[in-house]
Amino acid sequence: MSSHPSPNESIADQSTANGATLASSAPTATHEPDQPIVLEAHGLTKRFKIYKKPADRLVEWATLGRTQRHKPFVAVDGVSFSLKKGRCLGLVGANGAGKSTLLKMLTGVLRPSNGSYHIRGRVLSLLELSAGLDGEMTGRENIRSMATLLNFPREFAAQRTPEIQAFSELGEFFDRPVRQYSTGMRARLGFSMYACFRPDIFIVDEVLSVGDVFFRQKCATRMRQLLEEGMTMMFVSHDAQAVLNLCDEAILLQKGRMVFHGPPEEVMRRHHSSLSQPVKWTRKRPQNAADSPAEARSLSREESQLIGADIIGARHEHRHGTGEGRIIACRITDSQNRDTTTIAIDEKLTFHILVEADRAVERPSVGLQLYDRLNNLVFAAATAQLRHKLPPLSPGHRMVVSLTLSLSVKEGAYTFGLSLAEPGTDGSSQPTYLDCLDLLGPLEVSTPADQKRTFFGIARLPMSAHHALIPNDQTASASQ
């Protein structure tokens, strides 16, 4: 993987010779009207020629292309999006989805096969933390060299060097040749240099996957600071928590195509679903009792209360998963078993969830996710995390799962999500999501006028207190 910083201070306009622009069918995020758009991509496409052996390339060249010996490979296929100033856009996808290829087109390393892009402002790209460092130069000399290559003023490097030196924490190694650095030390110098240069647009690829945990934390803190200062950022990472914490919006790439553009939480859930079994989602009508022998039984009281109930706020575009199971209905009740979506702080809501499977699910898990008004994930857990073992589901069978949640959160409006999944066999791998529903609700949490506040902040965490009195004679002897 290579790095090619682009010091463009004016609008960069890269397009193909024929000027073709491919439209993307994926939805795009809604932008705030108060900030200008600084990066736009229109139908970006990159095709490569794959040869079995080097001689095949020579044959094509000798025959002026009349004899074709290659197989075309589309790494990026018609990606279109726009990014506003001061926002962070995450790129999410499996290995080979086209993330790095897309970044290389945006930074000028690769020329698009079709489509165009426009960038307004100075761009720095960090596609590899130690890229561009000269091993024979010291860290200080590399800073001067890189500033010159990026066409910064002569005094710029001298002004930034103390800040870079302090941030990198290289000590005496800062004035030693880079060839003496370890991989982690090279990473420290590379990120420190680029982050302290403060470009208008910062494009980084897997920056938080290198170095020790302390360096990764420092990188994340610095990136948040740069975003608060108004920098625009594109960020590629396989770290779901990093994407959720840093990004305002995200794009999901699958086999080069942009399949979804929206909130990072939904993008990550769709990404994890895509890593499960590649079964296309199909909406199926729940079978009636007379439709199948498996359903030829009397409905339970829980099912009869749920059949025909709506899942509040459910929309098809926010539904994803393998389609091998379904969340059919959800009923929300308070502690008095009354249907409600409004609750007082510290009171409990119970989510009665009716699910159905199309295949044998040995270890089903039903989950609930709670989001605040800014779409921050407040809490998420499933029966698997609660150590509540659900019985296996046979094809066509249904089950009602009740999840009771104490709403010990700040007053306001919330949305929630539901999921039906099968955990990984080793406990650490991603689960297989059979069905997921996002952006349900809203739920309203309020504070009654006669109720005293029991906590401060966005949520109440388990906390206890105790004390012990120290006798006066022990205090006096300790002071002596």
Side-chain angles (χ1 to χ4, degrees), residues 35 133 203 271 276 305 350 362 455 457:
Q35 292 292 345
L133 298 179
I203 299 179
H271 173 52
S276 305
Q305 291 177 323
T350 299
E362 294 298 324
F455 67 92

Side-chain angles (χ1 to χ4, degrees), residues 244-255:
L244 294 176
N245 286 340
L246 292 173
C247 298
D248 302 297
E249 55 190 282
I251 289 174
L252 176 60
L253 292 177
Q254 291 180 1
K255 297 181 179 180

